[in-house]
Amino acid sequence: MTGTVVVALDRFLPSARRIAEALGADLVPYTSEVFAEVFGRYDRIVALMSAGIAVRGVAPLLVDKWRDPAVVVVSPDLRYAVPIVGGHHGGNDLARELAMTGITPVITTATETQGRDSVEGIAARSGYDIVNRDSTRVVNAAMLDSDLPLYDIRGPAIVVAGPGVSILVRKGDYVVGIGCRKGTSSTVVAGALRQALEWARIAPEDVLVYATTVKKRGETGLRDAVAELGGNLVYLDDDTLNAQSAPSPSRAPLIGLSGVAEPAALAISKRKELVLAKQTYGCVTVAIAR
């Protein structure tokens, strides 16, 4: 899902064509099914029409703000560009881009209206992804009241953070969930991870994070293996893991968990889709989600 599309009613197509040319975007005439057609194909949508038509068209298609495309409504008189979906996720930037055509961006997200930064904005400018996305609500709210510290930690390192701390890491499309027996060496863990990534045809640099249960914090082999692959290891608490499904059978219920590898991969993944169901490599289990 990439690129920009301009959707417009027939009577506005000449103006829409000029906007599409300015943005380097595709142009699609409006139909009753148009939003369903473009929602999964584009990550930025400009709707040249009344806000009511656009809202009714996109509302049934919304999943969550991390997966939905940014939608910006341009008023029929070409005066205003209003992000109605995904302000912090590309909508505000798209509205600002439209300013080059003489259209005034109307930004309504709280942090921007107060001249404050946002977690999403920092991540986008820095080329990072946000690991614990639920944290952004409380962190952005706190940014409205004060300047928050930003810590740049160069690894190898271990960071233990609460729900009010947003964790940013290099961009990547995949999350690798890992389970292992106590005392497993880094050589064995790294070998299992390489096999899984190779089978799934995923390069290590395309991995957002590696994730496991907090019960494995003492496993140096696990930590060192992830560091060897140049990755970031995240430890997840029991409630977070148990909130996810565990499609494959597991012995994890013996330690009070629904699973480890699959729930850990799913918990942080963007689309909540397993691309590699749990595989066992000796005493190591690996699952990959995106």
Side-chain angles (χ1 to χ4, degrees):
M1 186 173 71
T2 58
T4 306
V5 64
V6 179
V7 178
L9 300 177
D10 288 344
R11 69 181 63 188
F12 304 136
L13 284 176
S15 297
R17 190 167 291 110
R18 293 194 295 272
I19 293 174
E21 290 174 355
L23 295 175
D26 294 335
L27 175 61
V28 178
Y30 174 80
T31 67
S32 59
E33 302 297 327
V34 68
F35 288 111
E37 294 169 1
V38 302
F39 232 61
R41 295 168 50 198
Y42 297 91
D43 55 10
R44 308 199 312 172
I45 300 172
V46 176
L48 180 50
M49 60 190 68
S50 70
I53 295 174
V55 168
R56 285 190 294 272
V58 304
L61 305 171
L62 299 177
V63 178
D64 67 61
K65 65 180 182 179
W66 301 98
R67 296 170 58 185
D68 299 327
V71 181
V72 174
V73 170
V74 172
S75 59
D77 59 2
L78 302 183
R79 293 182 62 187
Y80 303 110
V82 185
I84 61 170
V85 175
H88 279 153
H89 302 269
N92 291 347
D93 291 337
L94 179 55
R96 293 187 183 104
E97 284 182 43
L98 287 164
M100 66 182 172
T101 67
I103 302 172
T104 301
V106 179
I107 308 301
T108 62
T109 43
T111 48
E112 280 74 10
T113 58
Q114 299 298 316
R116 292 283 184 172
D117 216 335
S118 65
V119 178
E120 294 90 340
I122 294 171
R125 289 197 309 274
S126 306
Y128 293 123
D129 271 338
I130 303 166
V131 175
N132 53 338
R133 295 173 171 182
D134 289 345
S135 69
T136 59
R137 184 176 291 104
V138 64
V139 176
N140 283 337
M143 283 183 168
L144 291 172
D145 300 321
S146 62
D147 294 324
L148 300 186
L150 174 63
Y151 302 102
D152 185 0
I153 301 174
R154 303 293 176 176
I158 298 174
V159 177
V160 180
V165 178
S166 293
I167 301 173
L168 279 57
V169 299
R170 72 182 183 194
K171 282 186 174 293
D173 293 324
Y174 301 95
V175 176
V176 179
I178 318 167
C180 67
R181 293 179 187 170
K182 184 176 180 179
T184 304
S185 70
S186 62
T187 301
V188 172
V189 176
L193 293 174
R194 288 193 175 95
Q195 287 185 65
L197 291 172
E198 182 177 355
W199 188 93
R201 297 183 179 179
I202 297 171
E205 55 267 27
D206 291 330
V207 176
L208 174 66
V209 289
Y210 298 80
T212 189
T213 168
V214 70
K215 300 179 188 297
K216 297 296 180 182
R217 279 177 57 185
E219 295 294 331
T220 57
L222 183 57
R223 181 193 64 206
D224 293 345
V226 172
E228 183 180 327
L229 271 65
N232 299 286
L233 179 60
V234 175
Y235 299 98
L236 302 177
D237 60 68
D238 294 2
D239 290 341
T240 299
L241 292 176
N242 287 334
Q244 305 299 318
S245 62
S248 302
S250 172
R251 299 184 63 187
L254 296 175
I255 57 173
L257 299 175
S258 61
V260 175
E262 289 176 336
L266 289 167
I268 302 177
S269 63
K270 302 171 185 177
R271 301 183 187 177
K272 309 302 181 187
E273 299 172 353
L274 281 175
V275 298
L276 177 69
K278 186 183 74 173
Q279 300 294 314
T280 301
Y281 304 91
C283 52
V284 180
T285 56
V286 182
I288 305 175
R290 64 177 177 180

